[in-house]
């Protein structure tokens, strides 16, 4: 099922090799995903499958594609079926993206303020997902400080 | 063996059903919208992405002299999430059924049966109460 093999190596990891070039949310997400390569089968005691190579790579590529400086850090979880899930529950948004592979995702979104709510698969066209993450990034920016004008 | 469409009504709506929450990787998170810690919806997914989710029934466990800790005996550092049977029957879409399925390692083992899309899993995760917090190492 899972062809990914863990070997000890002195070579720099993906996350360390991209440190200088990429925004922190991408680096951090890559580090969290990389940790999950250590999981074996049955990590949940219910017979869970270890994450698939396709899901691990897909999650990293998704971060590269959608995240920018200021994007809130997602929670990153393995899913017992071998997929990887990125989650945000903040700023009135609930967003979950289950990554099956690089071009196969299922996302579930709730805007708690407007009752906008959807669950849908994504392949190549990520515009709708990008909009939600851009809005999360915007909401994660520090509030502008009020200028005090004398007189 | 009960048919898949049968719901065991001897499991009452207010009865707790328990699902283990791994400590590594830590499968719970701070939900800032709820301002509370809760398990991820991934905890309510089975390995086949299918219809049957393993749980432990709380009432017979406690009535039999056991404790919540016994439900995580195989992994003592795991946490434990509790959700009410009535919630999965009446508040999750599509409605789920519950059936007892005792095993050699869990006499109070049961299955939550029904299709579980992401919305259904998320609903269960948000309704779940962490009664034992996973021990983060």
């Amino acid at each position: 099922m899972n062809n990914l093999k863990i070997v000890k190596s002195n070579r720099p990891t993906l996350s360390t090799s991209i440190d200088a070039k990429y925004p922190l949310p991408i680096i951090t997400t890559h580090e969290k995903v990389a940790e999950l390569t250590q999981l074996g089968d049955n990590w949940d005691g219910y017979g869970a499958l270890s994450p698939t190579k396709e899901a691990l790579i897909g999650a990293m590529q998704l971060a590269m594609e959608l995240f920018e400086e200021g994007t809130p850090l997602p929670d990153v979880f393995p899913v017992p079926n071998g997929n990887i899930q990125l989650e945000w529950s903040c700023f009135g948004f609930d967003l979950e993206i289950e990554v099956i592979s690089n071009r196969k995702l299922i996302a579930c979104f709730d805007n708690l303020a407007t009752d906008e709510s959807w669950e849908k698969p994504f392949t190549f066209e990520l515009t709708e997902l990008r909009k939600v993450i851009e809005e999360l990034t915007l909401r994660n920016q520090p509030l502008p400080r009020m200028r005090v004008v004398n007189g | 063996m009960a048919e898949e469409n049968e719901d065991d009504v001897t499991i009452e709506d207010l009865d707790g059903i328990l699902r283990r929450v791994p400590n590594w990787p830590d499968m719970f998170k701070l939900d800032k919208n709820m301002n509370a810690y809760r398990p991820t919806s991934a905890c309510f997914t089975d390995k086949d992405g299918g219809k049957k989710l393993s749980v432990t029934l709380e009432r017979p466990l406690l009535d039999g002299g056991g404790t919540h800790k016994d439900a995580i005996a195989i992994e003592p550092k795991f946490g434990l999430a509790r959700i009410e049977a009535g919630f999965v029957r009446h508040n999750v879409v599509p409605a789920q059924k519950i059936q007892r399925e005792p095993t050699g390692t869990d006499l109070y083992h049961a299955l939550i049966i029904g299709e579980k899309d992401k919305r259904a899993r998320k609903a269960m995760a948000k309704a779940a109460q962490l009664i034992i917090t996973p021990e983060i190492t």
Side-chain angles (χ1 to χ4, degrees):
Chain A
M1 179 67 198
N2 186 353
N3 296 322
L4 198 65
K5 289 184 178 169
I6 309 303
V7 292
K8 290 194 174 180
S9 166
N10 292 325
R11 293 169 60 187
T13 62
L14 178 59
S15 58
T16 55
S17 65
I18 64 170
D19 275 359
K21 283 171 58 181
Y22 292 96
L24 184 64
I26 294 176
I27 295 166
T28 306
T29 302
H30 279 200
E31 287 172 348
K32 289 181 182 177
V33 172
E35 282 181 13
L36 301 180
T37 62
Q38 298 173 46
L39 282 178
D41 285 343
N42 197 32
W43 52 266
D44 67 348
Y46 290 116
L49 304 176
S50 56
T52 66
K53 184 178 175 182
E54 291 77 13
L56 292 162
I57 292 171
M60 289 183 167
Q61 290 182 332
L62 187 71
M64 296 278 281
E65 201 159 337
L66 297 182
F67 296 2
E68 57 186 303
E69 203 62 66
T71 300
L73 299 179
D75 290 301
V76 180
F77 298 108
V79 185
N81 58 15
N83 298 335
I84 298 289
Q85 184 157 291
L86 310 181
E87 295 186 21
W88 294 260
S89 296
C90 54
F91 303 115
F93 281 8
D94 261 330
L95 175 64
E96 295 185 359
I97 305 174
E98 184 170 341
V99 181
I100 300 159
S101 68
N102 180 27
R103 288 297 172 202
K104 203 168 176 190
L105 320 167
I106 302 171
C108 180
F109 173 66
D110 293 296
N111 181 337
L112 304 182
T114 65
D115 289 339
E116 180 189 358
S117 181
W118 44 258
E119 174 174 343
K120 57 182 78 171
F122 289 87
T123 52
F124 287 90
E125 176 54 58
L126 301 179
T127 304
E128 201 165 0
L129 215 42
R130 189 183 308 279
K131 274 187 194 166
V132 174
I133 291 179
E134 283 175 355
E135 180 59 29
L136 272 171
T137 304
L138 194 65
R139 295 182 183 200
N140 194 37
Q141 303 306 312
L143 290 172
R145 295 176 66 178
M146 298 285 283
R147 277 187 68 196
V148 177
V149 180
N150 293 321
Chain B
M1 182 80 183
E3 294 293 324
E4 275 194 7
N5 60 356
E6 285 180 19
D7 191 26
D8 186 338
V9 293
T10 66
I11 302 165
E12 296 177 13
D13 279 354
L14 292 179
D15 285 353
I17 45 184
L18 309 170
R19 176 87 178 165
R20 293 191 291 272
V21 179
N23 65 323
W24 195 90
D26 55 331
M27 294 296 283
F28 71 104
K29 67 176 201 173
L30 175 61
D31 184 322
K32 292 180 181 170
N33 295 324
M34 297 169 66
N35 196 27
Y37 285 94
R38 67 167 174 85
T40 164
S41 66
C43 281
F44 295 90
T45 306
D46 67 23
K47 64 178 183 297
D48 301 321
K51 291 168 64 176
K52 296 178 178 177
L53 186 76
S54 285
V55 291
T56 297
L57 297 172
E58 182 184 49
R59 187 160 53 93
L61 168 72
L62 300 182
D63 287 352
T67 68
H68 288 136
K69 282 275 185 192
D70 294 323
I72 54 171
I74 63 161
E75 292 286 354
K77 292 182 178 177
F78 277 17
L80 195 65
R82 179 187 188 275
I83 189 169
E84 288 186 350
F87 185 86
V88 302
R89 283 182 176 131
H90 309 301
N91 295 77
V92 173
V93 180
Q96 308 287 306
K97 319 257 187 218
I98 307 168
Q99 289 179 3
R100 294 172 202 269
E101 193 200 58
T103 66
T105 53
D106 184 0
L107 290 175
Y108 313 114
H109 180 257
L111 294 170
I112 301 176
I113 299 173
E115 296 292 345
K116 297 171 191 68
D117 60 10
K118 296 197 70 60
R119 192 170 301 284
R121 295 177 216 158
K122 194 199 280 192
M124 288 193 274
K126 292 179 94 164
Q129 176 192 4
L130 263 180
I131 55 175
I132 298 176
T133 304
E135 192 176 312
I136 303 301
T137 50

